[in-house]
Amino acid sequence: MTYQEFHARSLASPEQFWGDQAKLIHWFKFPESILSKDEHKLYRWYQDGMLNTSYLALDHHVASGRGDQAALIYDSPVTNSKSVYTYLELLQAVELFAGVLKGQKVQKGDTVIIYMPMIPEAVIAMLACARLGAIHSVVFGGFAAHELAIRIEDAKPKVLLTASCGIEFTRVIDYMTIINEALDEAVFQPSSVIVYQREQYQAPLKSGRDYDWETLLKSAKPADYVPLNAGHPLYIIYTSGTTGAPKGIVRENGGHAVAMQFSMKYIYGIEPGEVFWAASDVGWVVGHSYIVYGPLIMGATTVLYEGKPIKTPDAGAFWRMIEEYQVNVFFTAPTAIRAIKKEDPEGKLKQEYDTASLRYLFLAGERCDVSTLEWSKSVLNIPVIDHWWQTESGWPMLANMVNVELLPIKPGSATKPVPGFDIRVVDSEGESMPPNQEGAVVIRLPLPPGCLPTLWNDTERFIKSYLAAYPGYYFSGDGGYTDEEGYIFITGRIDDVINVAGHRLSTSEMEEIVAAHPAVAECAVIGVKEELKGQVPVGFVVLKSNANINEADLEQDLVEMVRNQIGPIACFKKVMLVPRLPKTRSGKILRKIMRHIADGEKYATPSTIEDASVLSELTTIMVDMKVQ
């Protein structure tokens, strides 16, 4: 059937649609209740079904004859090591580590925090928790001690799993010092800390609290899977909240498994036995969904990469990986592509590798500018698909469904809603906006399986944050617009829309224009307070390494480009060259913090920032340039 027919069917009869999709995974007890409401009148999927996610990802494939197929490929240019786990080998490793957890009295309903680098043991730990019905919460390895302490206080883990160190390029990061500081700060204390000692650093262990990972494995007995109710939480993942306190997004076993199977098949077009690579981190939602659970539930081969798009060793790293492992579908963030583009603007390193196995490149995690999409397409000569989703959704909400009907690609748009998502663009009163007029992006309830049903121990905050603003709808927090053909364009967070002399303007539209300049590697346009007009846009630009242009000439070029494409109403008159932009660990530019700096307002350094020192650099530049 066509995309339109497929999507319409999902909205017309959601229970039948998602009941049919549920039949594609293995249940111990198939749910009789497909969609229901809980005591808070919140929607829930498959509540009386029984299954186990670890079983679906491992045992099921071994039982189906896939035991000798590669399940997990590990490639670490920072340690010069590689390994491959078959489905049988990964199952045996998970069974044994589940036995370790069981020996530490971890059982169904307990929480476990995982603070680890991109090594196979992190994946094994996640699947071992899922096997026992323990609820894991992966905290990005390298998060500061205070942020880890906050998550320990909220999740209250029985056990904390970690490694002795992480590695950033050539720098070894001592994890145990961070763990110790976090536990010194936290009131709640886990009963034990299990430490995987890496060759690059041997951490001192505290007697009575810390245990050596390998030593515990030697005395462990393999643990079987525990049948779980579909509504039992699989994991908690924390995302930034507007109040500064992180929000614990809950993911349930049943709906999540159905969504993973569905998305791997229809969105990414992956079949069992094929190779899927998401160049992310297990600390982020992409890592949960599309490094670990999605590919393994589908029976594909997944790739775990401990490296960067550049400097490990060069900007050809991704192309080397695709050739070496015959990757069929690749998923990364636009910021990674921009980093490669900055180092290798002509894409010359790509010519050294044969990437013929690659069918699609998917981009997500931040708004994808047109120039990045077009550059990727020209270098790879395959469809490059922008898609949009959130930590809260757990899987894509807007996408070009490659295994349903590949629609024409419109740069700047993440295409159309995925089945199950009834996405609207509305004004402040909840009324639908006409085509090409920007508004708030909302989704009619019920959300499909796999999306957050609530927040960890905070239903009131869940309702207030996501449901209260537009009754009957989930509020995404993003702005956007639809065109005449129903394509949806996400323009950024609602507060990325600025008001210039009474005119609402999108800074993302200006960014598109700035990014198209041949000298620009990365950019951000923010609204800065101005006495006469309320706000005026200011552009911050990082140049390509081979660019030969001074700041005055670049500013003149960009002001003219914005004036030509938007008009003088944009009042875009100032451009600043900066060595780098403030970003989260997952590559999102922290525009809100930049606005606070420019406006001289107080701000809290966000927990997700990659390098806090960039903020003082920006402050100095803005003061010198009289922006602040």
Side-chain angles (χ1 to χ4, degrees), residues 140 142-143 168-169 171 580-588 590 593 597 603 605-618:
F140 180 80
F143 252 150
E168 289 275 343
F169 298 111
R171 186 166 65 100
R580 54 187 178 149
L581 295 167
K583 295 180 182 178
T584 66
R585 291 273 185 175
S586 59
K588 293 179 182 176
L590 294 163
I593 295 295
I597 294 172
Y603 64 89
T605 301
S607 61
T608 51
I609 195 166
E610 185 179 40
D611 185 351
S613 65
V614 69
L615 300 181
S616 57
E617 284 178 14
L618 269 177

Side-chain angles (χ1 to χ4, degrees), residues 147-164:
E147 297 303 327
L148 178 56
I150 291 171
R151 288 153 176 79
I152 290 169
E153 281 297 312
D154 196 66
K156 296 182 169 45
K158 179 170 277 189
V159 173
L160 196 156
L161 307 177
T162 190
S164 57

Side-chain angles (χ1 to χ4, degrees), residues 205-219:
L205 304 183
K206 290 192 175 183
S207 178
R209 186 199 72 181
D210 299 346
Y211 296 87
D212 179 77
W213 189 294
E214 294 288 349
T215 301
L216 292 179
L217 278 176
K218 290 174 184 175
S219 59

Side-chain angles (χ1 to χ4, degrees), residues 299-540:
T301 299
T302 189
V303 180
L304 185 76
Y305 176 65
E306 189 183 23
K308 301 290 184 182
I310 58 172
K311 299 180 181 176
T312 59
D314 56 31
F318 279 5
W319 320 136
R320 188 270 299 176
M321 291 283 294
I322 291 165
E323 177 189 77
E324 185 167 344
Y325 301 116
Q326 293 295 287
V327 175
N328 300 117
V329 177
F330 179 41
F331 176 175
T332 192
T335 192
I337 300 298
R338 285 195 291 268
I340 295 168
K341 180 183 172 185
K342 181 182 177 185
E343 293 287 316
D344 184 21
E346 307 301 320
K348 291 178 180 178
L349 287 169
K350 160 64 180 66
Q351 298 168 21
E352 298 179 14
Y353 301 96
D354 179 1
T355 61
S357 63
L358 193 68
R359 294 196 299 268
Y360 304 107
L361 168 63
F362 281 83
L363 298 174
E366 58 182 315
R367 194 179 56 81
C368 180
D369 58 281
V370 174
S371 61
T372 297
L373 188 138
E374 295 289 4
W375 186 87
S376 305
K377 185 179 176 183
S378 68
V379 168
L380 290 169
N381 197 29
I382 58 172
V384 178
I385 297 171
D386 180 15
H387 61 323
W388 171 75
W389 50 299
Q390 301 175 321
T391 302
E392 289 86 347
S393 69
W395 63 292
M397 298 186 280
L398 289 174
N400 203 334
M401 310 276 291
V402 303
N403 207 23
V404 179
E405 178 188 5
L406 189 61
L407 299 172
I409 292 170
K410 290 189 179 184
S413 172
T415 315
K416 295 188 178 184
V418 168
F421 292 98
D422 184 355
I423 301 179
R424 316 278 181 91
V425 176
V426 300
D427 63 17
S428 58
E429 301 301 316
E431 296 297 321
S432 292
M433 299 292 287
N436 301 308
Q437 289 196 28
E438 195 167 332
V441 177
V442 300
I443 303 161
R444 188 167 66 91
L445 300 176
L447 297 177
C451 298
L452 80 168
T454 188
L455 294 175
W456 181 248
N457 292 333
D458 204 344
T459 299
E460 184 180 340
R461 188 181 184 193
F462 168 71
I463 295 169
K464 183 179 178 182
S465 298
Y466 299 106
L467 308 182
Y470 299 92
Y473 292 84
Y474 164 89
F475 174 44
S476 72
D478 279 334
Y481 64 91
T482 59
D483 69 7
E484 293 84 356
E485 294 182 303
Y487 280 68
I488 297 180
F489 294 73
I490 302 295
T491 53
R493 302 301 291 176
I494 292 296
D495 53 12
D496 284 346
V497 176
I498 62 173
N499 195 313
V500 181
H503 301 284
R504 286 170 56 81
L505 299 170
S506 170
T507 53
S508 65
E509 188 178 1
M510 297 180 213
E511 281 186 16
E512 292 279 4
I513 298 166
V514 173
H517 192 286
V520 174
E522 286 191 297
C523 67
V525 176
I526 63 169
V528 176
K529 285 182 181 176
E530 204 264 353
E531 188 174 346
L532 185 63
K533 297 181 174 66
Q535 281 181 302
V536 292
V538 176
F540 295 81

Side-chain angles (χ1 to χ4, degrees), residues 1-236:
M1 64 179 70
T2 66
Y3 157 78
Q4 201 61 45
E5 291 167 340
F6 200 43
H7 184 258
R9 182 172 159 240
S10 75
L11 300 189
S13 184
E15 288 190 66
Q16 182 179 342
F17 184 91
W18 292 110
D20 290 343
Q21 297 305 321
K23 294 173 185 174
L24 301 179
I25 65 169
H26 183 92
W27 297 81
F28 303 139
K29 176 183 176 291
F30 191 82
E32 293 179 16
S33 172
I34 302 300
L35 180 62
S36 57
K37 286 188 177 182
D38 64 15
E39 67 274 19
H40 302 288
K41 297 184 179 179
L42 300 175
Y43 287 101
R44 297 293 180 99
W45 291 95
Y46 314 123
Q47 288 303 284
D48 60 345
M50 298 291 290
L51 77 173
N52 182 283
T53 298
S54 185
Y55 175 92
L56 290 174
L58 299 170
D59 307 66
H60 175 67
H61 301 303
V62 173
S64 302
R66 292 189 170 275
D68 293 333
Q69 180 197 309
L72 177 70
I73 294 169
Y74 170 58
D75 188 297
S76 173
V78 297
T79 61
N80 196 30
S81 58
K82 303 174 184 180
S83 59
V84 178
Y85 289 76
T86 66
Y87 268 96
L88 179 59
E89 289 167 341
L90 189 56
L91 170 59
Q92 291 169 340
V94 169
E95 285 178 319
L96 196 59
F97 194 71
V100 168
L101 293 176
K102 203 170 179 180
Q104 296 294 311
K105 310 298 185 201
V106 173
Q107 57 189 357
K108 174 184 170 182
D110 288 335
T111 54
V112 174
I113 278 186
I114 302 171
Y115 183 84
M116 298 187 75
M118 287 286 284
I119 57 177
E121 287 73 19
V123 177
I124 290 164
M126 293 168 72
L127 290 162
C129 289
R131 193 165 194 80
L132 299 177
I135 306 156
H136 66 68
S137 183
V138 183
V139 179
F140 180 80
F143 252 150
H146 174 66
E147 297 303 327
L148 178 56
I150 291 171
R151 288 153 176 79
I152 290 169
E153 281 297 312
D154 196 66
K156 296 182 169 45
K158 179 170 277 189
V159 173
L160 196 156
L161 307 177
T162 190
S164 57
C165 66
I167 301 163
E168 289 275 343
F169 298 111
T170 58
R171 186 166 65 100
V172 175
I173 301 167
D174 172 7
Y175 277 14
M176 283 309 293
T177 295
I178 298 168
I179 294 287
N180 291 331
E181 288 177 5
L183 291 175
D184 285 344
E185 180 180 336
V187 175
F188 182 87
Q189 297 291 301
S191 60
S192 60
V193 177
I194 301 176
V195 185
Y196 180 77
Q197 297 279 18
R198 304 189 74 184
E199 291 180 14
Q200 292 74 20
Y201 175 68
Q202 295 286 306
L205 304 183
K206 290 192 175 183
S207 178
R209 186 199 72 181
D210 299 346
Y211 296 87
D212 179 77
W213 189 294
E214 294 288 349
T215 301
L216 292 179
L217 278 176
K218 290 174 184 175
S219 59
K221 296 178 180 178
D224 204 357
Y225 55 84
V226 175
L228 301 168
N229 185 278
H232 184 76
L234 172 64
Y235 67 77
I236 308 160

